[in-house]
Amino acid sequence: MNILVTLDDNYIRPLFIMLESLFYHEKSRMDIYLLYSNVSEDNRKRLHTYIKKQGSRLIPVYVKDDVFQNAPVFRYFTKEMYYRLLCSRLLPETEDRVLYLDPDILIRGELKPLYEKDFQGRQLIGMEDYAINHMLTEKKEAIGFHKEECYINSGVLLFNLNKMREAFVLEDFIAVLEEYKDVVSYPDQDLINLYFKEDRLIGERIYNYNTGYGSVAGMLAWALGLKRERKEPVIIHYMGSSKPWQVDYYGKYFFEYYHYLKKHLSWKGKILFFFKPCYVAAKLGKALVRRSRAFAENSERRDAI
């Protein structure tokens, strides 16, 4: 199995956690391709040692950092997010597919059913972004998608390397990037959706499951045990700016993540996480206050009408 990761030094700890969950559920030998421009030699050595102990192989591939020098980058996004699109150029021609995985995910089951899917002649397989397709439709409409068109999340992508070597043109992708760079909300993800719109398949959502609640009501329903997934996720994706390695994270599946995280924490970090309920309670309180204020304002508007 070929796995692809692209990141910088800031995401090394989450990468280790993702890999630990991957090796726990996948016992076969894997080649882990790391496309990078800003990962230190020390971190590469640490990754090499750990992956070798698991019976697999790290294959680091340096990318010149001027390839996407004009690409839009903001908030917590980095230029490395674009590197996955170079996989058909930089991976050996003997490889026919590779599974890209974001570092902010957790593996909870076997990936072979996803990895071995039939591409049906398409360049990639991705899973729908539930939040954008059902709650934030204005985000995809801003880049020309209709409400009924499926927008995929770029955190888990299965690339058809043979088809990409024939059909993917980097210069064309960069042209799309230039055309839409002023209106994108999620840089590489919006552009991947635009470029591959007619040449992708949609996979099962269990292979890229968003940990968000959708609303305050959804959050409370989950906390009270009134709402659970219909199918257990195989891949949990901790989307958004709030991450489970941050002490104020209050999304789903924190304790599963903490099972892996705790061994990477310093004693100071462990003390901070001991007080996590206080941080979470404060954040939930703020969310409820915002919700109640919005409800009150809407009521006042209705009364005024």
Side-chain angles (χ1 to χ4, degrees):
M1 185 181 294
N2 298 318
I3 302 295
L4 174 66
V5 293
T6 65
L7 70 160
D8 62 17
D9 274 327
N10 294 317
Y11 271 79
I12 288 297
R13 185 170 69 176
L15 175 61
F16 268 103
I17 291 171
M18 184 273 280
L19 290 174
E20 286 175 27
S21 69
L22 172 64
F23 288 126
Y24 181 82
H25 292 283
E26 286 292 342
K27 304 303 181 184
S28 59
R29 180 185 180 279
M30 287 176 277
D31 283 339
I32 313 292
Y33 289 91
L34 167 66
L35 303 190
Y36 75 97
S37 59
N38 188 26
V39 175
S40 69
E41 182 179 359
D42 180 59
N43 279 329
R44 296 199 307 273
K45 286 180 177 178
R46 289 173 57 215
L47 283 168
H48 171 78
T49 300
Y50 172 70
I51 291 170
K52 186 176 181 180
K53 284 182 179 178
Q54 309 306 313
S56 292
R57 179 172 60 152
L58 175 70
I59 305 174
V61 181
Y62 179 74
V63 179
K64 293 182 179 179
D65 59 7
D66 61 350
V67 177
F68 292 104
Q69 61 181 351
N70 296 320
V73 172
F74 47 83
R75 300 202 302 275
Y76 51 90
F77 300 104
T78 66
K79 66 179 181 298
E80 281 80 6
M81 63 191 168
Y82 296 101
Y83 291 178
R84 73 197 77 179
L85 297 166
L86 303 173
C87 59
S88 61
R89 290 188 171 197
L90 299 179
L91 268 60
E93 292 191 2
T94 52
E95 305 295 355
D96 66 345
R97 63 181 62 208
V98 67
L99 178 61
Y100 170 81
L101 299 173
D102 266 355
D104 58 345
I105 69 175
L106 205 64
I107 311 299
R108 304 173 74 240
E110 190 179 8
L111 297 187
K112 279 189 177 179
L114 170 63
Y115 188 80
E116 295 174 353
K117 280 188 178 294
D118 184 356
F119 288 105
Q120 298 180 30
R122 309 299 176 88
Q123 290 193 63
L124 61 82
I125 296 174
M127 278 49 74
E128 77 155 322
D129 191 304
Y130 187 85
I132 291 180
N133 282 314
H134 300 280
M135 292 175 282
L136 301 170
T137 55
E138 71 278 3
K139 299 289 186 182
K140 66 177 182 179
E141 289 172 1
I143 59 170
F145 271 63
H146 299 300
K147 282 187 177 181
E148 65 276 10
E149 290 181 306
C150 186
Y151 177 103
I152 63 173
N153 183 274
S154 62
V156 179
L157 296 170
L158 183 65
F159 288 108
N160 181 349
L161 297 178
N162 288 337
K163 179 66 183 294
M164 286 186 71
R165 291 181 187 111
E166 298 173 0
F168 178 73
V169 180
L170 180 61
E171 291 72 20
D172 290 347
F173 180 84
I174 291 176
V176 174
L177 185 157
E178 288 294 326
E179 181 179 354
Y180 288 91
K181 68 180 181 180
D182 294 327
V183 297
V184 295
S185 300
Y186 308 98
D188 68 315
Q189 184 168 279
D190 283 350
L191 296 166
I192 285 171
N193 273 277
L194 286 165
Y195 186 88
F196 296 100
K197 187 176 181 180
E198 306 300 329
D199 203 0
R200 79 301 170 60
L201 288 178
I202 309 300
E204 296 174 84
R205 188 173 167 227
I206 59 171
Y207 291 112
N208 192 352
Y209 186 84
N210 187 352
T211 56
Y213 295 107
S215 65
V216 174
M219 174 187 65
L220 292 174
W222 173 271
L224 294 172
L226 302 176
K227 188 176 182 181
R228 288 292 184 269
E229 283 67 46
R230 294 179 181 178
K231 288 186 177 181
E232 279 297 303
V234 176
I235 297 178
I236 298 171
H237 188 178
Y238 298 90
M239 301 178 195
S241 57
S242 180
K243 302 298 185 183
W245 55 85
Q246 298 167 339
V247 72
D248 61 345
Y249 173 80
Y250 67 105
K252 304 174 188 174
Y253 296 105
F254 165 73
F255 291 105
E256 288 194 35
Y257 196 88
Y258 188 73
H259 170 75
Y260 294 95
L261 173 65
K262 59 187 178 184
K263 69 179 73 172
H264 296 274
L265 293 174
S266 65
W267 66 269
K268 289 183 179 179
K270 289 177 181 177
I271 291 174
L272 282 175
F273 273 89
F274 179 79
F275 291 100
K276 181 179 177 66
C278 300
Y279 290 98
V280 173
K283 200 162 186 176
L284 293 179
K286 288 180 181 179
L288 288 170
V289 168
R290 286 196 300 268
R291 180 71 175 178
S292 60
R293 285 177 178 172
F295 180 79
E297 290 173 0
N298 289 335
S299 297
E300 289 176 3
R301 291 194 192 99
R302 286 196 296 268
D303 291 341
I305 293 173

